[in-house]
Amino acid sequence: MTINQSGWRPTTPQAGTGSDETFTGNRALMLEEPLIFEIGGPDTTGVDFAEAPSGKSRLGGLERAAPIGLPGLSEPETVRHYTRLSRQNYAIDLGLFPLGSCTMKHNPRLNERMARLPGFADVHPLAPVDTVLGALEVIHQLAHWLVTLTGMHSVAMSPKAGAHGELCGILAIRGALEAMGQGHRKVLLVPESAHGTNPATAAFAGFSVEDIPATDEGRVNLEALKMRLGPDVAGVMITNPNTCGLFEREMRAISDAVHAAGGFVYCDGANFNAIVGRVRPGDLGIDAMHINLHKTFSTPHGGGGPGSGPVVFSEALSPFAPLPFVEKTEEGFRLVEEETAEEHHADSFGRMVAFHGQMGMFTRALTYILSHGADGLRQVAEDSVLNANYILRAMEDVLDAPFGKSGPCMHEAIFSDAGFPEGFSTIDVAKALIDEGFHPMTMYFPLVVHGAMLVEPTETESKASLDQFIGAFRSVAARAKNGDPALKTAPHFAPRRRLDETLAARKPVLAWKDPVAAEAAE
Ligand SMILES: *Cc1c(COP(=O)(O)O)cnc(C)c1O
């Protein structure tokens, strides 16, 4: 065994000299962990490989000239490395995750159990169709529920995230416009409060984006929207409930006006959690909407798992939806993968993904839907709205709630930094919440609210856990209002202090360079 060159070393410069520093850099059970490149070496491995058989290389002149120096660790070192790193993370299984617009809810273990059944977990996208009919049935059943819950006509299951679903919907709208000889319509109207993915999607699909102004109470300004509609407008992208946490009450009138002017209505359905079982977007005149299975239907989110963003379509847009899809025939389930002139989807705009979508997420989402039933899903929406309003009213006397007067909120409550003393802002509240053991809320979004703090508790929090969060949030908000200087340097108890996030975004360091080699090269 070779001891790797950099060897083990303490991680803090004055390690062990002060009373608040330790020799190792660890603080009790909070363990420091260097990069794998700093602790691993090419000579260490967790496996003993047999001597490679000698023989003539068949790679022509393409074989590697020098070792690539991948860092190796033994098996226990590897396990510790990743376990230590994972402990520096925050997760929904550790505590409340108030990120607004993200619907960070509990991932029921029943979903995991079902997804791990070997018949689902081991299914391969290239397996012959007649060997995976059960998987097709799962896709078809989930599709049926999504179409039923949204009151729409059809669904494309393959998009792999909300943003990917937006692209899917907008490409279908583009296909429909072109088929009608309306390909010159190049403007998509998007409210100022929209998620950044909406204008990005529109631009990516070749449209130009124009803002729709909001009313003082945080909703789309219908009159201003009507004024802008015309022969160059392809449609609108509207989030409902919107990102100010409010239901767009005039949605039907908005859709009618857009349709009368020859456009289509895309709805960002990321906030469907607040209305599932209560409102069917199809009844509001929507033509396409993505559903984030990893939000509304509880599949793991962010670093926890891949997303999945099926898109539901109105009858007008259905012919343009992407392939593949699963169809139920008299003989059973069938996977439709080709555009055929006389048969299905001759007008489909093509494919979004190589295979069929996120099978593991489909199984989880269907389990969630079936285990809740129609009444349970309705209660999800009601409880998520109740929880958000509980937070809204519990905070109003310490934090400005810009739309608090517009009535109850939907599934998320929004606050601003109005009334903070000079030099104090939303970020100070967020960082201090980390010290309190909470993931911060969404900050500075939506842009229409100054210093926005968007809090979405979801229905999975009990009153006790909401009260605990409210206690911490109130305390931190009061400290910000009183200008507590300690807040400016929070977090104090996290593995790292306040990082220079601007520098990290502007000049990201994406590759590790060996400091010894770098010094030698100079
Ligand atoms: C989460 C979200 C999206 C994007 O969904 P992803 O699955 O993250 O791509 C779009 N719009 C809104 C309002 C969202 O909350």
Side-chain angles (χ1 to χ4, degrees):
M1 197 185 94
T2 348
I3 292 185
N4 84 57
Q5 286 204 320
S6 57
W8 183 87
R9 62 175 184 274
T11 41
T12 46
Q14 296 88 34
T17 55
S19 56
D20 59 347
E21 298 284 358
T22 57
F23 178 72
T24 51
N26 299 334
R27 286 160 182 257
L29 297 181
M30 208 153 77
L31 303 173
E32 273 297 331
E33 185 63 8
L35 298 176
I36 197 166
F37 295 97
E38 294 168 321
I39 52 173
D43 301 328
T44 315
T45 160
V47 227
D48 290 327
F49 288 114
E51 193 74 28
S54 56
K56 218 166 142 269
S57 162
R58 288 183 290 164
L59 292 174
L62 295 175
E63 66 269 40
R64 214 184 277 292
I68 55 173
L70 286 180
L73 293 175
S74 71
E75 183 172 315
E77 285 171 330
T78 308
V79 171
R80 283 188 186 151
H81 176 70
Y82 290 106
T83 307
R84 284 172 174 232
L85 290 182
S86 75
R87 286 170 40 128
Q88 299 187 0
N89 212 341
Y90 191 84
I92 192 68
D93 291 344
L94 285 172
L96 186 149
F97 222 114
L99 274 184
S101 212
C102 292
T103 312
M104 303 297 289
K105 59 163 90 174
H106 173 63
N107 314 130
R109 293 305 182 266
L110 181 64
N111 300 357
E112 300 302 317
R113 184 87 191 271
M114 293 302 114
R116 280 167 177 70
L117 291 174
F120 292 132
D122 299 341
V123 76
H124 191 281
L126 291 177
V129 167
D130 59 356
T131 66
V132 291
L133 292 176
L136 296 191
E137 183 166 0
V138 166
I139 298 178
H140 189 267
Q141 259 204 48
L142 178 60
H144 168 78
W145 272 91
L146 297 180
V147 164
T148 307
L149 286 167
T150 55
M152 299 288 279
H153 190 76
S154 66
V155 60
M157 297 297 289
S158 62
K160 294 199 173 182
H164 202 209
E166 289 172 30
L167 183 63
C168 173
I170 296 300
L171 289 179
I173 289 176
R174 193 174 78 180
L177 287 172
E178 280 166 6
M180 298 182 326
Q182 295 288 310
H184 55 274
R185 291 179 177 259
K186 283 289 177 214
V187 176
L188 275 170
L189 304 178
V190 181
E192 296 164 65
S193 60
H195 197 268
T197 49
N198 291 190
T201 297
F204 192 73
F207 292 93
S208 62
V209 179
E210 285 184 30
D211 278 347
I212 312 176
T215 62
D216 290 343
E217 58 156 28
R219 294 188 169 92
V220 165
N221 186 328
L222 178 60
E223 290 316 310
L225 169 70
K226 280 185 178 163
M227 300 266 288
R228 180 56 192 86
L229 291 171
D232 58 336
V233 174
V236 294
M237 290 182 87
I238 289 185
T239 310
N240 197 13
N242 70 25
T243 55
C244 297
L246 301 172
F247 189 74
E248 294 288 356
R249 294 189 197 123
E250 295 187 298
M251 196 64 222
R252 185 74 236 188
I254 293 171
S255 301
D256 289 347
V258 173
H259 289 152
F264 286 97
V265 179
Y266 186 86
C267 179
D268 180 329
N271 294 336
F272 191 46
N273 200 53
I275 57 172
V276 60
R278 291 203 55 127
V279 177
R280 299 191 314 163
D283 298 335
L284 304 177
I286 281 151
D287 292 298
M289 180 180 97
H290 72 262
I291 300 166
N292 307 60
L293 296 187
H294 47 289
K295 294 181 181 171
T296 308
F297 297 108
S298 84
T299 68
H301 202 164
S308 184
V311 180
V312 285
F313 288 107
S314 63
E315 191 167 3
L317 279 190
S318 292
F320 305 94
L323 301 169
F325 62 93
V326 175
E327 190 181 59
K328 191 172 181 182
T329 67
E330 292 196 343
E331 291 97 68
F333 295 97
R334 192 165 92 96
L335 187 63
V336 179
E337 295 207 81
E338 313 272 340
E339 298 105 312
T340 46
E342 67 287 352
E343 214 192 332
H344 291 287
H345 280 234
D347 294 323
S348 165
F349 72 74
R351 263 180 178 271
M352 297 294 290
V353 303
F355 297 116
H356 324 304
Q358 303 284 24
M359 188 63 211
M361 297 304 136
F362 296 161
T363 317
R364 287 172 175 83
L366 182 61
T367 306
Y368 182 77
I369 288 173
L370 293 180
S371 59
H372 279 70
D375 56 337
L377 291 175
R378 187 187 171 97
Q379 195 182 339
V380 160
E382 290 169 353
D383 289 353
S384 73
V385 170
L386 180 66
N387 281 359
N389 279 283
Y390 185 63
I391 292 184
L392 177 66
R393 299 308 172 203
M395 294 300 297
E396 265 178 333
D397 60 325
V398 278
L399 272 183
D400 172 59
F403 305 122
K405 305 242 164 11
S406 311
C409 60
M410 294 299 290
H411 59 309
E412 49 197 358
I414 193 163
F415 305 98
S416 87
D417 64 359
F420 284 15
E422 182 75 25
F424 284 81
S425 176
T426 296
I427 192 159
D428 305 312
V429 174
K431 296 297 180 188
L433 271 177
I434 295 175
D435 275 343
E436 298 288 345
F438 288 102
H439 192 287
M441 65 285 156
T442 289
M443 14 171 231
Y444 303 108
F445 172 81
L447 305 177
V448 290
V449 168
H450 193 272
M453 292 171 237
L454 189 61
V455 178
E456 179 183 5
T458 83
E459 71 285 358
T460 52
E461 298 305 327
S462 66
K463 180 167 179 298
S465 83
L466 291 177
D467 285 338
Q468 197 183 33
F469 172 72
I470 288 166
F473 197 20
R474 285 184 63 89
S475 151
V476 167
R479 287 171 63 198
K481 278 216 155 151
N482 294 332
D484 177 356
L487 224 57
K488 296 298 308 173
T489 47
H492 300 275
F493 307 127
R496 293 292 177 276
R497 300 288 84 74
R498 204 175 283 207
L499 305 177
D500 187 341
E501 283 156 17
T502 314
L503 184 69
R506 298 265 155 81
K507 292 192 178 166
V509 180
L510 300 177
W512 180 80
K513 288 202 187 73
D514 183 349
V516 181
E519 207 170 286
E522 270 173 20

